[in-house]
Amino acid sequence: MTRNRASRTATRTAALALGAVVAAPLLAGCVPNDPASSEAGGDGPVTLSVSSTADACDVSAAEAPSGNVVFSVKNDGDEVTEFYLLAEDGLRIVSEVENIGPGLTRDLVVVAKPGSYVTACKPGMVGDGIRADFTVTDSGADTAPTGELADQVDAAAVNYVAYVKDQTEQLLTGTEDFVAAYTDGDDDTARDLYAPVRLHWERIEPVAESFGDLDPSMDLREADLEAGQEWTGWHLLEKDLWAPEPADNGGEKYTPLTTAERADYAERLLSDTQELYDRTHAAEFADTIDAAAIGNGAKGLLDEVATGKVTGEEEIWSHTDLWDFQANVDGAKVGYDGLRDVVLAKDEALAGDLDERFETLQGLLDQYQEGDGFVAYTELTPDQVKELAAAVDALSEPLSQLTAAVVL
């Protein structure tokens, strides 16, 4: 999970294609300016500029016609920021672009369907963000690919849906075993199962996070708790299994969960996992996956690595961050591989660059494999962490071009 998950009441829809329709609160700040414009005099994608500062999220238009839409997000503030396109309920994340440093510009490409939405900037990547309503009108345009390209995109979507279902199936089975060991007090077995089971969550994290109520319930970190918020999920049990010393627990002696508390929290985790399985196996789930969803999801997974795993903040008690790191890379690679034929046809150089950088990053990760898993994050030297972070950054840049290369 990423930082400040608790504050992420907004959640991602598995579909980065737009189409949701529920009501959303307008909190503050976004300023609709000029009408959205097309780069190609009406035939190209609609491009809107977004300026994110400490107290504003200025989108150049409050509406755009349906079709391919590019939000060109510039960070004009002093803190790292994020930009979200949310469903009308203000909860589900339609698509997002994270980790935009001061002075930088990053594009978010979506295939927009008619409907009502909410835009949000999150300077400092905390809180609910600075929000405004956003409307996609019906342009009547059909932007779907045709011919061989359409077949390749359809195949990528079908395969990715199958991949997500397979991961949730393995996650459910593994969680059943983990929960059984944990509630029986077999902590050694539970500790052994923790990281391998979580791999399946981390591989599909953007999709899993799209079900907003499940994400904070299952994957919230203690550091991201808001005042009055109940802590549940994987990381609560992680802390109980790897009980910290007072020096690592704010100076307080850690109090283990009682048997009854263990049973309660374990059952909630299993119930949430079953719900995730059910939602990804529902007939309508496949309709939410398209090329933009896969491409933006792949980039989102690399952002997860950059902002949580490579820093060692994700698994602060077990230090199994490299397992999550590998899983995020796995998921991003699966997404890219599914779209690779399309990328090859439209931008061969980009495909070559992505191939090379994925291989480089995997080669670095392989150095830290130990048995069926990885060494603890705490065994890495600062230089090794720096090398991994640089490889993530090197891959992140061409991966940020994937969706545009495939969709536009």
Side-chain angles (χ1 to χ4, degrees):
M1 62 168 284
T2 58
R3 322 123 332 280
N4 305 305
R5 177 69 50 79
S7 61
R8 282 187 160 198
T9 52
T11 59
R12 309 177 194 199
T13 59
L16 307 186
L18 316 182
V21 276
V22 209
L26 175 61
L27 298 186
C30 290
V31 181
N33 298 313
D34 301 326
S37 62
S38 168
E39 288 182 338
D43 296 328
V46 170
T47 299
L48 300 97
S49 63
V50 180
S51 173
S52 175
T53 64
D55 55 6
C57 183
D58 294 335
V59 183
S60 60
E63 66 178 47
S66 58
N68 296 330
V69 176
V70 180
F71 293 92
S72 184
V73 185
K74 183 177 182 182
N75 186 350
D76 289 315
D78 298 324
E79 297 179 288
V80 176
T81 193
E82 302 171 327
F83 176 75
Y84 292 82
L85 187 64
L86 308 171
E88 192 178 7
D89 60 3
L91 296 176
R92 291 169 295 143
I93 297 175
V94 174
S95 195
E96 65 173 305
V97 57
E98 297 182 318
N99 202 26
I100 310 172
L104 299 181
T105 298
R106 287 183 57 185
D107 290 345
L108 175 64
V109 180
V110 296
V111 181
K113 294 180 181 178
S116 298
Y117 303 92
V118 177
T119 57
C121 296
K122 286 189 182 181
M125 300 195 292
V126 296
D128 288 338
I130 304 166
R131 300 184 173 203
D133 290 340
F134 186 79
T135 302
V136 176
T137 59
D138 189 354
S139 67
D142 183 2
T143 58
T146 58
E148 183 178 0
L149 183 62
D151 293 339
Q152 292 170 335
V153 169
D154 288 346
V158 169
N159 291 338
Y160 193 74
V161 168
Y163 176 72
V164 171
K165 288 181 177 178
D166 176 63
Q167 291 304 308
T168 58
E169 290 160 7
Q170 295 187 64
L171 177 65
L172 180 58
T173 301
T175 303
E176 289 171 345
D177 293 340
F178 171 80
V179 162
Y182 180 69
T183 53
D184 286 347
D186 185 358
D187 287 2
D188 287 340
T189 299
R191 280 189 285 264
D192 288 343
L193 289 171
Y194 177 82
V197 174
R198 275 183 53 78
L199 279 175
H200 305 297
W201 166 276
E202 296 289 345
R203 285 175 178 153
I204 57 169
E205 196 167 4
V207 173
E209 290 179 357
S210 72
F211 305 109
D213 52 335
L214 296 180
D215 179 36
S217 178
M218 296 176 68
D219 202 32
L220 181 65
R221 300 184 312 195
E222 185 177 33
D224 300 322
L225 281 169
E226 294 180 336
Q229 185 176 19
E230 183 183 16
W231 191 22
T232 60
W234 280 104
H235 295 297
L236 171 66
L237 307 190
E238 177 200 6
K239 184 175 183 179
D240 199 47
L241 287 169
W242 283 272
E245 296 295 327
D248 298 320
N249 194 43
E252 300 291 331
K253 181 180 179 181
Y254 176 72
T255 302
L257 298 181
T258 65
T259 300
E261 288 172 332
R262 280 190 165 214
D264 177 32
Y265 289 121
E267 176 55 33
R268 289 200 232 179
L269 177 62
L270 184 57
S271 177
D272 286 340
T273 307
Q274 180 67 58
E275 183 65 23
L276 175 62
Y277 173 95
D278 292 343
R279 293 183 189 183
T280 54
H281 285 69
E284 59 269 24
F285 173 69
D287 295 335
T288 69
I289 300 297
D290 61 9
I294 299 170
N296 287 334
K299 180 60 174 63
L301 284 165
L302 254 292
D303 288 339
E304 295 286 345
V305 175
T307 57
K309 281 71 176 187
V310 79
T311 63
E313 297 174 274
E314 180 74 9
E315 307 288 358
I316 195 68
W317 314 112
S318 64
H319 305 301
T320 54
D321 303 87
L322 292 185
W323 291 74
D324 298 351
F325 192 139
Q326 178 67 70
N328 285 163
V329 173
D330 289 343
K333 186 67 161 51
V334 166
Y336 164 60
D337 284 345
L339 296 171
R340 187 174 181 277
D341 286 346
V342 182
V343 181
L344 268 176
K346 301 181 74 172
D347 191 339
E348 186 175 353
L350 177 61
D353 198 10
L354 285 167
D355 290 344
E356 179 182 345
R357 292 174 192 264
F358 264 116
E359 184 177 354
T360 298
L361 180 57
Q362 187 58 60
L364 289 176
L365 264 178
D366 288 346
Q367 298 179 70
Y368 306 112
Q369 285 188 349
E370 184 175 74
D372 294 331
F374 291 88
V375 302
Y377 180 85
T378 47
E379 295 185 26
L380 300 181
T381 67
D383 284 345
Q384 289 169 333
V385 171
K386 185 177 180 181
E387 184 179 41
L388 285 168
V392 170
D393 289 344
L395 173 59
S396 183
E397 196 283 324
L399 199 59
S400 69
Q401 304 174 40
L402 175 61
T403 303
V406 172
V407 173
L408 301 182

PDB file of all heavy atoms in Angstrom, residues 15-33:
ATOM      1  N   ALA A  15     -11.576   0.008 -13.358  1.00  0.00           N
ATOM      2  CA  ALA A  15     -11.583   0.586 -14.686  1.00  0.00           C
ATOM      3  C   ALA A  15     -11.026   1.973 -14.651  1.00  0.00           C
ATOM      4  O   ALA A  15     -11.477   2.808 -13.912  1.00  0.00           O
ATOM      5  CB  ALA A  15     -13.005   0.649 -15.198  1.00  0.00           C
ATOM      6  N   LEU A  16     -10.057   2.234 -15.470  1.00  0.00           N
ATOM      7  CA  LEU A  16      -9.609   3.596 -15.636  1.00  0.00           C
ATOM      8  C   LEU A  16     -10.443   4.236 -16.723  1.00  0.00           C
ATOM      9  O   LEU A  16     -10.413   5.433 -16.917  1.00  0.00           O
ATOM     10  CB  LEU A  16      -8.126   3.602 -15.975  1.00  0.00           C
ATOM     11  CG  LEU A  16      -7.292   2.801 -14.980  1.00  0.00           C
ATOM     12  CD1 LEU A  16      -5.818   2.976 -15.282  1.00  0.00           C
ATOM     13  CD2 LEU A  16      -7.587   3.161 -13.569  1.00  0.00           C
ATOM     14  N   ALA A  17     -11.183   3.437 -17.450  1.00  0.00           N
ATOM     15  CA  ALA A  17     -12.189   3.996 -18.333  1.00  0.00           C
ATOM     16  C   ALA A  17     -13.290   4.561 -17.465  1.00  0.00           C
ATOM     17  O   ALA A  17     -13.614   4.034 -16.423  1.00  0.00           O
ATOM     18  CB  ALA A  17     -12.760   2.918 -19.228  1.00  0.00           C
ATOM     19  N   LEU A  18     -13.851   5.639 -17.899  1.00  0.00           N
ATOM     20  CA  LEU A  18     -14.800   6.335 -17.054  1.00  0.00           C
ATOM     21  C   LEU A  18     -16.208   5.868 -17.305  1.00  0.00           C
ATOM     22  O   LEU A  18     -16.583   5.573 -18.395  1.00  0.00           O
ATOM     23  CB  LEU A  18     -14.712   7.838 -17.326  1.00  0.00           C
ATOM     24  CG  LEU A  18     -13.311   8.381 -17.425  1.00  0.00           C
ATOM     25  CD1 LEU A  18     -13.363   9.879 -17.634  1.00  0.00           C
ATOM     26  CD2 LEU A  18     -12.516   8.056 -16.203  1.00  0.00           C
ATOM     27  N   GLY A  19     -17.009   5.900 -16.270  1.00  0.00           N
ATOM     28  CA  GLY A  19     -18.370   5.526 -16.489  1.00  0.00           C
ATOM     29  C   GLY A  19     -19.215   5.499 -15.244  1.00  0.00           C
ATOM     30  O   GLY A  19     -20.386   5.212 -15.316  1.00  0.00           O
ATOM     31  N   ALA A  20     -18.672   5.833 -14.108  1.00  0.00           N
ATOM     32  CA  ALA A  20     -19.432   5.742 -12.882  1.00  0.00           C
ATOM     33  C   ALA A  20     -20.362   6.916 -12.720  1.00  0.00           C
ATOM     34  O   ALA A  20     -20.153   7.972 -13.273  1.00  0.00           O
ATOM     35  CB  ALA A  20     -18.479   5.701 -11.698  1.00  0.00           C
ATOM     36  N   VAL A  21     -21.397   6.715 -11.947  1.00  0.00           N
ATOM     37  CA  VAL A  21     -22.392   7.766 -11.838  1.00  0.00           C
ATOM     38  C   VAL A  21     -23.029   7.792 -10.462  1.00  0.00           C
ATOM     39  O   VAL A  21     -24.088   7.266 -10.260  1.00  0.00           O
ATOM     40  CB  VAL A  21     -23.499   7.597 -12.888  1.00  0.00           C
ATOM     41  CG1 VAL A  21     -23.104   8.204 -14.192  1.00  0.00           C
ATOM     42  CG2 VAL A  21     -23.829   6.123 -13.069  1.00  0.00           C
ATOM     43  N   VAL A  22     -22.416   8.446  -9.521  1.00  0.00           N
ATOM     44  CA  VAL A  22     -23.041   8.676  -8.237  1.00  0.00           C
ATOM     45  C   VAL A  22     -22.660  10.084  -7.795  1.00  0.00           C
ATOM     46  O   VAL A  22     -21.859  10.713  -8.428  1.00  0.00           O
ATOM     47  CB  VAL A  22     -22.557   7.648  -7.184  1.00  0.00           C
ATOM     48  CG1 VAL A  22     -23.651   7.422  -6.161  1.00  0.00           C
ATOM     49  CG2 VAL A  22     -22.186   6.333  -7.826  1.00  0.00           C
ATOM     50  N   ALA A  23     -23.202  10.642  -6.743  1.00  0.00           N
ATOM     51  CA  ALA A  23     -22.968  12.035  -6.404  1.00  0.00           C
ATOM     52  C   ALA A  23     -21.714  12.251  -5.584  1.00  0.00           C
ATOM     53  O   ALA A  23     -21.347  11.439  -4.780  1.00  0.00           O
ATOM     54  CB  ALA A  23     -24.139  12.572  -5.624  1.00  0.00           C
ATOM     55  N   ALA A  24     -21.035  13.351  -5.725  1.00  0.00           N
ATOM     56  CA  ALA A  24     -19.790  13.593  -5.008  1.00  0.00           C
ATOM     57  C   ALA A  24     -19.770  14.985  -4.433  1.00  0.00           C
ATOM     58  O   ALA A  24     -20.250  15.917  -5.033  1.00  0.00           O
ATOM     59  CB  ALA A  24     -18.613  13.423  -5.949  1.00  0.00           C
ATOM     60  N   PRO A  25     -19.197  15.136  -3.237  1.00  0.00           N
ATOM     61  CA  PRO A  25     -19.134  16.460  -2.627  1.00  0.00           C
ATOM     62  C   PRO A  25     -18.067  17.329  -3.262  1.00  0.00           C
ATOM     63  O   PRO A  25     -16.993  16.863  -3.568  1.00  0.00           O
ATOM     64  CB  PRO A  25     -18.767  16.140  -1.173  1.00  0.00           C
ATOM     65  CG  PRO A  25     -17.996  14.857  -1.270  1.00  0.00           C
ATOM     66  CD  PRO A  25     -18.603  14.116  -2.408  1.00  0.00           C
ATOM     67  N   LEU A  26     -18.365  18.585  -3.443  1.00  0.00           N
ATOM     68  CA  LEU A  26     -17.364  19.542  -3.896  1.00  0.00           C
ATOM     69  C   LEU A  26     -16.768  20.169  -2.659  1.00  0.00           C
ATOM     70  O   LEU A  26     -17.425  20.876  -1.933  1.00  0.00           O
ATOM     71  CB  LEU A  26     -18.029  20.618  -4.763  1.00  0.00           C
ATOM     72  CG  LEU A  26     -17.134  21.761  -5.209  1.00  0.00           C
ATOM     73  CD1 LEU A  26     -15.985  21.230  -6.048  1.00  0.00           C
ATOM     74  CD2 LEU A  26     -17.935  22.777  -5.981  1.00  0.00           C
ATOM     75  N   LEU A  27     -15.500  19.878  -2.397  1.00  0.00           N
ATOM     76  CA  LEU A  27     -14.903  20.342  -1.149  1.00  0.00           C
ATOM     77  C   LEU A  27     -14.334  21.725  -1.275  1.00  0.00           C
ATOM     78  O   LEU A  27     -14.608  22.595  -0.475  1.00  0.00           O
ATOM     79  CB  LEU A  27     -13.834  19.361  -0.698  1.00  0.00           C
ATOM     80  CG  LEU A  27     -14.357  17.953  -0.396  1.00  0.00           C
ATOM     81  CD1 LEU A  27     -13.255  17.112   0.175  1.00  0.00           C
ATOM     82  CD2 LEU A  27     -15.532  18.025   0.572  1.00  0.00           C
ATOM     83  N   ALA A  28     -13.484  21.942  -2.276  1.00  0.00           N
ATOM     84  CA  ALA A  28     -12.875  23.265  -2.394  1.00  0.00           C
ATOM     85  C   ALA A  28     -11.915  23.314  -3.545  1.00  0.00           C
ATOM     86  O   ALA A  28     -11.429  22.320  -4.026  1.00  0.00           O
ATOM     87  CB  ALA A  28     -12.123  23.617  -1.123  1.00  0.00           C
ATOM     88  N   GLY A  29     -11.643  24.474  -4.003  1.00  0.00           N
ATOM     89  CA  GLY A  29     -10.403  24.818  -4.649  1.00  0.00           C
ATOM     90  C   GLY A  29     -10.263  24.689  -6.133  1.00  0.00           C
ATOM     91  O   GLY A  29      -9.646  25.542  -6.726  1.00  0.00           O
ATOM     92  N   CYS A  30     -10.742  23.632  -6.796  1.00  0.00           N
ATOM     93  CA  CYS A  30     -10.464  23.493  -8.204  1.00  0.00           C
ATOM     94  C   CYS A  30     -11.191  24.574  -8.978  1.00  0.00           C
ATOM     95  O   CYS A  30     -12.334  24.870  -8.722  1.00  0.00           O
ATOM     96  CB  CYS A  30     -10.888  22.131  -8.712  1.00  0.00           C
ATOM     97  SG  CYS A  30      -9.840  20.816  -8.086  1.00  0.00           S
ATOM     98  N   VAL A  31     -10.528  25.136  -9.943  1.00  0.00           N
ATOM     99  CA  VAL A  31     -11.087  26.274 -10.670  1.00  0.00           C
ATOM    100  C   VAL A  31     -11.256  25.930 -12.136  1.00  0.00           C
ATOM    101  O   VAL A  31     -10.286  25.802 -12.871  1.00  0.00           O
ATOM    102  CB  VAL A  31     -10.175  27.497 -10.546  1.00  0.00           C
ATOM    103  CG1 VAL A  31     -10.774  28.678 -11.295  1.00  0.00           C
ATOM    104  CG2 VAL A  31      -9.951  27.855  -9.098  1.00  0.00           C
ATOM    105  N   PRO A  32     -12.465  25.749 -12.625  1.00  0.00           N
ATOM    106  CA  PRO A  32     -12.668  25.521 -14.038  1.00  0.00           C
ATOM    107  C   PRO A  32     -12.378  26.788 -14.813  1.00  0.00           C
ATOM    108  O   PRO A  32     -12.848  27.865 -14.456  1.00  0.00           O
ATOM    109  CB  PRO A  32     -14.141  25.133 -14.133  1.00  0.00           C
ATOM    110  CG  PRO A  32     -14.775  25.743 -12.937  1.00  0.00           C
ATOM    111  CD  PRO A  32     -13.722  25.757 -11.878  1.00  0.00           C
ATOM    112  N   ASN A  33     -11.592  26.678 -15.843  1.00  0.00           N
ATOM    113  CA  ASN A  33     -11.220  27.862 -16.603  1.00  0.00           C
ATOM    114  C   ASN A  33     -11.751  27.758 -18.030  1.00  0.00           C
ATOM    115  O   ASN A  33     -12.931  27.795 -18.267  1.00  0.00           O
ATOM    116  CB  ASN A  33      -9.700  28.019 -16.582  1.00  0.00           C
ATOM    117  CG  ASN A  33      -9.199  28.215 -15.167  1.00  0.00           C
ATOM    118  OD1 ASN A  33      -9.750  29.009 -14.430  1.00  0.00           O
ATOM    119  ND2 ASN A  33      -8.201  27.486 -14.770  1.00  0.00           N
TER     120      ASN A  33
END
